[in-house]
Amino acid sequence: TEYIAVNELANLMGVSVSEVISKCISLGLMVSINQRLDVETITLIADDFGFEIELVEEFQTDVDADIPDPEETLKPRPPVVTIMGHVDHGKTSLLDFIRSANVVAGEAGGITQHIGAYKVSIDGGKEITFLDTPGHEAFTAMRARGAKVTDIVVLIVAADDAVMPQTVEAINHAQAANVPIIVAINKIDKPNSNIEKIKQQLAERNILVEDWGGKYQCVEVSAKLGKNVDLLLEKILLEAELLDLKANPDRKARGTIIESQLDKGRGITATVLVQKGTLKIGDPFIAGVTHGRVRAMFDERGKKVSEAPPSTPVLVLGFESAPQAGDTFVAVESEREAREISIKRLQVKREQDHRQVHHITLDEIANQI
Ligand code: GDP
Ligand code: MG
């Protein structure tokens, strides 16, 4: 990488440009006034003029850069799991069973609203967060934006069917995102199910399950009857333990927009998956190019919550405009800061959009010629 130019360096040191140029020549470098210099050359020249070079990272705040928290602040957090697989292989059935089987006593009625994610408590107090995004589009959108939301993928394959295109797509997604896969072979209650055939076909895709000598955990389930679903949850927790998932809960929240909804009564709402920190009522925030202040939060049961720790999905009220799935959500110190960043991001976006429009126009002209 090249940094400042010869004349800029001369200005910074308060010496003449010709002095810097002749210094460069003595180092065997023929340079022009506007030529940019690499850090090695800059250091050598500066040293000669009695200056020390200090490399400073480009100004980055926690809003733009996901700056890691110090090790000692990290505490265990629940895994975030996405169930993926071919259409009709049983994603919804499996999610529904897990959801209804793990509703805390006294909370009968279960999930009252779809918010795209929910957290369940397993016996023993352990928790798992499931993302319930429609199809693979949301997952793809998030990955395209570099948002990593899933810790583990459960790959569901129907035992009465076969490894299908979307099964392969799911494998590719998970592997590209470097997310571990747990295989769930579903519909084993069906008389025409063929578990070995599925394992064979998975092996052909380099997904070798444990009892075939591979590294992939595999559970044979019936989402319809709920058979072995508890075993699947155990395996998820085991995988999560290996991943040693941690986050700092004692800081301003940072997370990802899972989906946004326009509610007739409440206006713009969005599901935020909090990934680090704790989101609180009243927190100003920035989400993509929009911003706001947390006016209220609800869990998947429609119950009001005042705090959302890491790996918790919450429905948030208080957005100025609708965010997009995959947008980064960052709680900030003040509403003013949120507004300023939002305006800046909007300007950048407009410029980019403008350039794209311009680009298309040029192409069109080229086509006409
Ligand atoms: P999705 O498209 O992956 O969400 O699949 P669904 O959960 O909608 O399931 C597709 C169909 O398979 C539905 O008719 C389910 O009732 C059925 N199904 C799902 N799991 C099982 C199972 O374990 N056994 C049987 N027999 N049917 C199942
Ligand atoms: Mg479905």
Side-chain angles (χ1 to χ4, degrees), residues 5-284:
V6 170
N7 53 346
E8 291 165 338
L9 180 60
N11 278 339
L12 282 172
M13 298 190 297
V15 301
S16 71
V17 174
S18 58
E19 276 179 288
V20 175
I21 291 181
S22 53
K23 183 67 215 158
C24 286
I25 292 171
S26 76
L27 291 169
L29 279 176
M30 297 302 292
V31 295
S32 61
I33 290 180
N34 299 316
Q35 191 164 330
R36 294 193 170 275
L37 303 169
D38 63 29
V39 75
E40 230 168 84
T41 311
I42 292 169
T43 309
L44 277 174
I45 294 167
D47 189 54
D48 241 86
F49 289 97
F51 290 91
E52 203 179 305
I53 296 295
E54 190 189 350
L55 281 181
V56 182
E57 290 278 304
E58 208 175 313
F59 177 70
Q60 274 188 332
T61 63
D62 195 30
V63 174
D64 301 306
D66 194 359
I67 298 167
D69 289 298
E71 183 68 34
E72 66 272 15
T73 63
L74 305 180
K75 301 205 175 110
R77 64 167 178 85
V80 179
V81 178
T82 305
I83 299 177
M84 297 178 87
H86 199 71
V87 65
D88 282 345
H89 280 199
K91 294 180 294 292
T92 303
S93 306
L94 184 58
L95 278 166
D96 285 349
F97 183 86
I98 293 168
R99 202 159 20 191
S100 56
N102 290 280
V103 171
V104 182
E107 280 186 344
I111 314 293
T112 53
Q113 65 193 135
H114 172 89
I115 70 165
Y118 61 90
K119 193 154 89 171
V120 295
S121 294
I122 314 299
D123 290 340
K126 292 261 168 71
E127 293 177 315
I128 302 174
T129 296
F130 285 94
L131 290 187
D132 185 8
T133 50
H136 295 185
E137 293 81 12
F139 197 85
T140 313
M142 283 178 217
R143 209 160 59 76
R145 289 146 168 264
K148 195 185 169 190
V149 285
T150 304
D151 299 308
I152 296 167
V153 162
V154 170
L155 179 70
I156 191 165
V157 194
D160 67 336
D161 196 6
V163 166
M164 297 294 279
Q166 281 173 277
T167 318
V168 175
E169 201 184 296
I171 294 170
N172 292 340
H173 274 316
Q175 288 181 338
N178 202 17
V179 175
I181 295 170
I182 298 175
V183 176
I185 298 180
N186 189 32
K187 307 199 188 184
I188 57 166
D189 59 287
K190 284 202 156 183
N192 58 336
S193 72
N194 188 343
I195 295 166
E196 290 308 298
K197 183 186 98 179
I198 302 297
K199 289 181 180 175
Q200 168 69 44
Q201 291 179 339
L202 286 170
E204 285 161 14
R205 302 274 168 189
N206 279 325
I207 303 292
L208 209 57
V209 298
E210 273 180 337
D211 59 343
W212 277 45
K215 65 168 181 177
Y216 293 91
Q217 298 198 78
C218 176
V219 201
E220 293 147 25
V221 301
S222 166
K224 191 180 174 184
L225 307 177
K227 192 173 177 226
N228 287 345
V229 174
D230 51 347
L231 215 64
L232 173 65
L233 298 177
E234 267 174 42
K235 296 213 184 238
I236 291 172
L237 290 175
L238 189 74
E239 193 76 49
E241 222 165 278
L242 295 174
L243 292 171
D244 194 25
L245 303 167
K246 286 177 176 171
N248 174 10
D250 304 309
R251 48 160 283 166
K252 290 239 165 277
R254 191 182 176 93
T256 301
I257 303 291
I258 301 301
E259 56 179 52
S260 82
Q261 309 86 358
L262 190 60
D263 187 300
K264 242 188 182 175
R266 295 186 290 199
I268 299 159
T269 64
T271 302
V272 177
L273 173 70
V274 177
Q275 293 171 292
K276 43 171 79 172
T278 298
L279 187 61
K280 295 173 181 165
I281 302 280
D283 280 350

